[in-house]
Amino acid sequence: MIAESLKDIRIVDLSMGWAGPLACRQLADMGADVIKVESCVRFDWWRSWEATPAWIEDDGAEKSSAFNMVNRNKRAITLDLEDPAGRELLLRLVASAHAVVENFSGAVLPKLNLSYDVFKQVNDKIILVSMPAFGSTGPWANFRAYGSTVEQSSGLPHLNGSAEDLPTMHHVAYGDAVGGLNGAAALLVALRHQARTGLGQFVDVSQVEGLFPLASHGIMEFSANQRQPVRMGNRREGINPHGVYPCVGDDEWIVIQIFNDPQWQALRGMAAPYLDEFADRFGQPEALDRSIAEWTKQQTAQELMYALQARQVPAVVTNKASELLTDAHLDEGGYWQWMDRAVVGNQPNPSPPFRVNAQRIKIGKPAPTLGQHNHEILVGELGISQQQYELLIERGIIGQRPRMPAS
């Protein structure tokens, strides 16, 4: 089924990278009309960090799987916002919108003479969701940052890794992914407020503050006991065994977590005689892990997972990225949706992680190409003339291919 919950909502997506585009994609998946705005020179950096003539010639702007993943179900135009004509067209688009989303560092919009107050002059009900790394106020408001910078600032690396390691980063850019989800939630609440009161809002989403819940165990430990928690690798205090264990095959692993005595007794029964000597699951954690590993490395990971789960023992195989496309659970649930897209052809798209009335949400359209909907939106919806449209192309204010910056 195609989601229509937000069918009449229009969102102007000025954001780039992962966090902002992901927030907007959540609402696009729910049926909102999300219009992505880039320029031919300052395109979304998830297309590429920089352009080269060879990259442009090879249609590199359309080959980024990361960009295509977070920008599906959107329409796209190009506007040079540093040009007065491009800025004016953006404001005309904002006048017809419910919300604007951006995730620039704090100095970018003021430099373009764009802000919540400016947007309110053309649309007094507008919502602006800003998603800078450190929020819009404070001494770090104008800092540029990326996912790994935000991860560092949240304190997470001091909680990851083993005791003998340096602070360890995951390099998954958690700040972006979590920020995108928080941004979507904040925008939904603001839209609800707008629908009830007719009022817009400025919504300030700090990506680093959104990561603090992931570091909550460290924050609470210091708050309560004034000490830094020790990095414990795969172990968890009060939970044992708790680890990743080898199975039959090359690089095959299973996670086993024991939270209580019934789970422990079930594991001991299955792993006999390997665990017979361990009456206490906490007394010799290193020796216990070695014995569990001796047992698991004789087992097939998938079969062992199902056997443990059947006995109420928390266990799961560690899926590799290469296996996700053929994972039986995801395949049976129709998680991957294949769609044809210009340049890259038939590609898998992950479904929205929520269902409506037990039905998967169907993806309406793949990510747009650069400026794909310029004519449809600028001429067809904003009402500029064909002559004006062609002049915008001639002046480089709009286009459908990246350009190298002027030297």
Side-chain angles (χ1 to χ4, degrees), residues 194-209:
Q194 183 188 64
R196 293 179 64 188
T197 68
L199 300 175
Q201 289 181 312
F202 172 66
V203 182
D204 183 13
V205 180
S206 165
Q207 292 182 39
V208 69
E209 290 177 26

Side-chain angles (χ1 to χ4, degrees), residues 385-398:
S385 69
Q386 184 64 30
Q387 182 179 11
Q388 290 173 310
Y389 181 79
E390 292 171 2
L391 182 60
L392 291 172
I393 296 174
E394 182 181 326
R395 293 175 55 192
I397 296 171
I398 66 172

